Structure formats: structure tokens, C-alpha cells
Amino acid sequence: MTPSAIALGVIFAIVAFGSAIGFYAGARRKMDLEQWTVAGRGFGVLLMWLLMAGEVYTTFSFLGASGWAYSRGGPTLYILAYITLANVVAFFIMPPMWELGRKHQLQTQSDFFAWRYGSDHLAAVVSLVGIVCMIPYLQIQITGLGIIVEVASFDGINRVTAMIFAVVLLVGFVLASGLRAVAWVSVLKDILMLFAAVAVGVGIPHIYFGGIGPMFTALLHAKPSHFVMPGATPNLGHAWYISTVVMTSVALYLWPHSFGAAFSAKSSETLRRNAVVMPLYSLSLTLMLFVGFAAILVIPDLRDGDLSLLAIVRKTFPPWFLGVIGGAGALTAMVPAAILLLSSATLFAKNIVRPIFAPTMSDHEVGRLARIMVVVIGGISLYVAIRGSTTLVGLLLLGYSGITQVFPGVVLGLFWKRVTTPGIFAGLVAGACIVTFLVLTKRDPYLGLNAGFLGLCANFAIAVTLSLFKPPASQST
Amino acid sequence: MCFSVSAWDRVYPIVLGLPFNLFWLTSWIVLTPLCLWGAYRLESKKDDHST
């Protein structure tokens, strides 16, 4: 057997095994809309925790983090900070949100906006922002799957073919099984990914340099400026770092699919405990960074930094091991991609189309529309993935810049009685416009600051000013 | 805290084989859960008194 056949065979076996677990978990239950999208709200603490880890730790952490460590250096360190800080934010925001959810029967982020601000249109715009931002996030996963197959086939299968195949598989998987399936596949994914992180993150520095300390000594000797900001980039300095960390850490739990956790958890206790433990997962990211750094000296001159982790694994280990790492990577892409597809499609049908255009739609029809949207959104993401040329981290930052604009509505809505609907609406639209403008005209980072952060500042300023101008009584309009 | 970046974004001193900025951030990954656990204990104590 050729090395590529062995590597691809192992990846395929792992994906097939994961899918089988998923189908089995999905097949045992009758699938109505509620069951398909939120698994009947019956998630205990353990499943909940697995699902959240499944959402947060994606191909972005697997290939993207090492990719930026390889190609950008210093600025990559923002990744270590933001997931940790995001959980501090979650610790204070999620429990009160859970209390409100229980009191007022809220199920999604949109429900919260509709209830707090009394406007279905605001809620629909929030959902729309969510869906648009999820597309680059999906694009990351699809590109990641493409990279895995490309490297594992020893460049025999090109990336576009692999991405098309991956999307078809993904859409099929989501349509057939729903959220409960995804949570169970997540178990396998987490075990494999932790194994991969330790094996590769500790193993590779040892094989080439005799340890992590000697590796950094060699690296600092060869490329001293790579390891502090701005690293290998022209403009990602300290101001960019601070603005990016602030902007992303408030936004991590605002992704519509993660936000739902505030409502499906058993108690506010669970959410607090979850926030305490979650940062520890980020230790695996430190290991991923080691691999990216090691690749700088071992395989210089890669055309695409996102290839670095798999390329160094391929160079170092036998093909079957490349297959194991690739399989872990493939599940790490498929689990979040399935969650993203599922939540964006449901969001579109349930929180945009039904309340605004067709209030009489039955649950059954909403379910059917959501399934159609799984195919449509999968197609759009595939299209942008084929066209796109940004790094995986660049894509995630793009999504974050948008989703962070929802933050003022959430935090002011929770903690400030006087905030008004027009204030939040205007702030959200202004923030989203600023980000879109800066990104499309390639002005991100602007004045050294992250575009999403600038949008967020404008957003807050507008929301607070407009709210102060109006007497609180106008809230009901 | 977050404005201290220029204070810790440096390579030396190397601690446990890591450049200082990497060591600094990694140690906060461990320290943050400890702080949050402290906050969690405080909150649950408060809840005990109020009920």
C-alpha cells in the first residue's frame, strides 16, 4: 500500500466510526424539530460540557493556531488569552441569563432580544448577524478538512475536490442525525484531539531539538523577532493585541450556538462550574503553538502556514500516524461544522422567516425549511471556501468582529434598566456597518486597532447616548 | 491588567524553557480557573446566607 492510501484509510476509518456513533445516537429517537435542534433540552452536565468543548475547540485551534504560530509568530498569543478571558465573562453573564431564560421561557439569543427589547425585527437582525458571521466560521472547518485530505493524500487529491466531498458528507450527516448525534461524536473527537495535541506538541520538539527548552533556544537564535509582537506581521502590535483580546473574549459566548447553552443547562450552578473548568482546555493550544514554532526550523518556506502542523507530522511520523492525527483533525472540523450548520439553518427558519414573513408556519414547516437551509448554507460556505485565500485565524477574526456587535444588546439588556430598543438597534447596525466597511476596504487593523473593536466602541457609544436621550418610558414602543 | 502587554511581551527571561510571554500567558490559563473557583466559592457562600 502507498503511504497516502494508508493515511487516507485511517482517516476514513476514524470518520466512519465517528459518524456511526452519531447515527446510532440519532437513530434511537423520533426526530421532531425540538429533538433535532436542541435534543429535547435533556442535556445533563457531562453532555453539555462535551458539546461546549466541541464548539469552542475547532479546526481553528488544531490547524489555525499552529498556522499562525508558523507564519505570524507573536500576535498568535492572543489565542491563549481570549478563550481564558471569555470564560471569566461567561462566569458573570451566563448565570443571570439562565435565570431570565427560566422565568420567561427563552430558548435562543433571538428570544432574549425579542423579550427584552419587544421587537421581532431587532431579534431577526441579531439572528441575521449571527448567520452571516457563522459562514466564515464554517469556511474554516471546510478549508481545514480540505487541508487534511490534501496533506494526507501526499498532494494527490487537490483541496477543492476534498472540500466538495467534505461538504456533501457533512450536510448528509446533519440532515440524518441532528444535535444529539453531534454531542456523542464530540466525545470521540475530544479524546483524539487531546491525544494528538500531547503526542505532537511534546513529541515533535523532542524528536528534532531534544526538548521544548532547547527548541526555543534554537528558535530565538535563528529568529529573535518572531516571538514578540508584531512578530512577522507589519501591523499587529500591542494595540492590536489588546483590542483583539477584548473584542473576541466578550464575543466567544455570543455565538448563537454557544449562547444556547445559557438556556439548556440544568442550573446556573452548572454554568458557573463550566466556566471555571473550561480555560484548562486551552493548555492544549499551547502545545499546538509549539508545533507551529518547531515547523519554522524543520520545514521552512511552506507556501501556507496552515499546512504546518500536518506537514511536519507527515515528515516526522509513519503514514498511519499521520492518518490518526488527520482523523482527529477531521472530527475536530466536522463536529463544530455540524453544530454551526444546524444552528444557522434553524436560526434562519425559526427566528427570521417565521416571525417576520410567515407567522402561521407550523413547526413541521419550519423544520423542513431548516433542512433546506442546511443545504443552502453548506453550499454558500463551500463557495466562499473555494474562493477564499485568508488564513484560518484571519477568518475567525472576521466572524468575531461581526458577532461581537451583539454584546452591547446582551450586557446592557441584562444590567442596565434604561437601555432602549432604538439605541441597541442603531448601535448594532452602526457597529456592523463599520466592521463591514473596514474589512471590505482592507483597512483592518485600522490605526493599529482591530476593526471589530472599533465597531464595538461605536456600537456602545451610540447605544448609551440614544438611551440617555430618551426617557425610560419609551421602552415599550 | 490588559494594558500591561508591553511589560510581559518579551522573550527574556526564559522560564521553564519558554519565552517569557508564552510562559506568562500559559500560567494565566492555570491561574484563571483558580481565581474563578475562588469567586465561585464566594458566590455560593453568599447564596447560603441569603436562603
Side-chain angles (χ1 to χ4, degrees):
Chain A
M1 275 220 279
T2 61
S4 70
I6 297 173
L8 287 174
V10 174
I11 293 178
F12 185 76
I14 291 174
V15 170
F17 182 60
S19 310
I21 295 180
F23 281 124
Y24 177 72
R28 284 182 310 169
R29 286 166 198 262
K30 212 178 127 265
M31 205 78 71
D32 55 15
L33 180 67
E34 186 88 354
Q35 192 61 252
W36 188 58
T37 54
V38 287
R41 315 199 161 276
F43 276 161
V45 184
L46 183 69
L47 257 190
M48 194 69 232
W49 196 54
L50 287 168
L51 195 65
M52 290 183 77
E55 286 163 3
V56 175
Y57 297 94
T58 70
T59 308
F60 160 77
S61 356
F62 204 76
L63 302 177
S66 51
W68 254 42
Y70 179 87
S71 65
R72 304 289 197 276
T76 321
L77 295 176
Y78 99 87
I79 295 168
L80 297 182
Y82 94 92
I83 299 186
T84 315
L85 285 175
N87 283 289
V88 180
V89 176
F91 185 84
F92 294 104
I93 286 191
M94 300 292 258
M97 189 59 80
W98 182 84
E99 300 286 348
L100 280 179
R102 194 185 48 165
K103 226 181 276 170
H104 303 282
Q105 317 287 308
L106 310 177
Q107 302 179 351
T108 63
Q109 197 173 46
S110 291
D111 290 349
F112 169 74
F113 275 85
W115 167 78
R116 177 64 180 84
Y117 299 102
S119 159
D120 280 346
H121 286 92
L122 176 61
V125 171
V126 169
S127 306
L128 190 64
V129 170
I131 295 170
V132 171
C133 296
M134 278 166 153
I135 287 178
Y137 210 165
L138 261 169
Q139 188 186 346
I140 297 174
Q141 317 306 330
I142 295 170
T143 310
L145 284 167
I147 290 176
I148 290 168
V149 175
E150 184 187 337
V151 176
S153 68
F154 289 76
D155 307 320
I157 301 177
N158 78 30
R159 199 184 290 185
V160 174
T161 317
M163 288 196 291
I164 294 172
F165 181 70
V167 170
V168 172
L169 187 73
L170 209 70
V171 167
F173 180 68
V174 170
L175 290 180
S177 45
L179 192 66
R180 184 175 295 272
V182 174
W184 281 110
V185 185
S186 198
V187 179
L188 179 64
K189 172 226 138 189
D190 281 345
I191 295 171
L192 274 174
M193 190 185 145
L194 280 178
F195 164 76
V198 174
V200 178
V202 177
I204 285 180
H206 267 274
I207 291 169
Y208 288 101
F209 305 96
I212 289 158
M215 176 177 85
F216 279 110
T217 314
L219 280 167
L220 290 172
H221 185 71
K223 278 196 161 190
S225 67
H226 195 75
F227 295 88
V228 291
M229 286 161 245
T233 64
N235 50 9
L236 307 184
H238 291 161
W240 175 86
Y241 177 90
I242 295 167
S243 56
T244 304
V245 168
V246 170
M247 181 278 280
T248 47
S249 58
V250 300
L252 179 64
Y253 279 95
L254 295 182
W255 289 101
H257 55 286
S258 310
F259 196 87
F263 304 124
S264 38
K266 248 191 206 153
S267 67
S268 54
E269 271 311 82
T270 315
L271 288 167
R272 282 208 192 94
R273 267 185 231 155
N274 211 351
V276 171
V277 194
M278 280 294 272
L280 289 174
Y281 263 101
S282 304
L283 287 174
S284 65
L285 285 173
T286 309
L287 295 170
M288 298 297 182
L289 297 187
F290 290 166
V291 181
F293 287 143
I296 294 173
L297 289 182
V298 178
I299 36 171
D301 309 320
L302 272 183
R303 70 191 146 83
D304 177 358
D306 292 331
L307 294 170
S308 60
L309 185 136
L310 288 170
I312 198 172
V313 168
R314 184 170 76 181
K315 187 179 157 71
T316 315
F317 298 104
W320 67 267
F321 194 79
L322 172 64
V324 173
I325 303 292
L331 288 183
T332 308
M334 284 179 66
V335 168
I339 297 172
L340 286 163
L341 259 182
L342 194 62
S343 11
S344 54
T346 317
L347 211 54
F348 183 83
K350 211 172 161 183
N351 296 91
I352 297 181
V353 173
R354 178 149 78 177
I356 306 292
F357 301 108
T360 54
M361 257 172 126
S362 69
D363 269 4
H364 181 71
E365 286 166 319
V366 170
R368 202 165 53 195
L369 179 61
R371 279 159 207 257
I372 295 170
M373 284 312 292
V374 166
V375 180
V376 174
I377 294 173
I380 296 174
S381 315
L382 175 63
Y383 176 76
V384 289
I386 292 174
R387 296 283 309 267
S389 58
T390 330
T391 58
L392 297 176
V393 176
L395 283 173
L396 191 73
L397 286 174
L398 192 65
Y400 266 105
S401 302
I403 202 73
T404 196
Q405 307 308 331
V406 175
F407 186 63
V410 169
V411 74
L412 295 177
L414 274 179
F415 300 116
W416 197 39
K417 285 207 174 68
R418 283 197 59 182
V419 69
T420 62
T421 311
I424 291 300
F425 215 138
L428 176 66
V429 171
C433 289
I434 289 173
V435 169
T436 315
F437 173 76
L438 288 175
V439 168
L440 288 183
T441 56
K442 310 229 182 286
R443 293 205 171 92
D444 178 29
Y446 188 67
L447 301 175
L449 294 167
N450 190 303
F453 178 76
L454 292 169
L456 186 61
C457 291
N459 187 339
F460 258 118
I462 291 170
V464 170
T465 322
L466 282 186
S467 299
L468 286 175
F469 270 123
K470 292 217 167 190
S474 67
Q475 220 179 69
S476 53
T477 54
Chain B
M1 260 297 287
C2 66
F3 294 102
S4 67
V5 181
S6 48
W8 56 256
D9 184 29
R10 58 188 72 233
V11 168
Y12 300 101
I14 287 179
V15 188
L16 302 173
L18 301 177
F20 189 72
N21 49 8
L22 201 54
F23 166 75
W24 174 258
L25 288 172
T26 307
S27 45
W28 275 107
I29 294 179
V30 181
L31 290 174
T32 304
L34 286 179
C35 298
L36 281 180
W37 185 66
Y40 174 75
R41 289 290 298 272
L42 280 178
E43 294 236 339
S44 39
K45 229 181 242 169
K46 206 169 61 191
D47 287 349
D48 283 351
H49 285 300
S50 60
T51 49

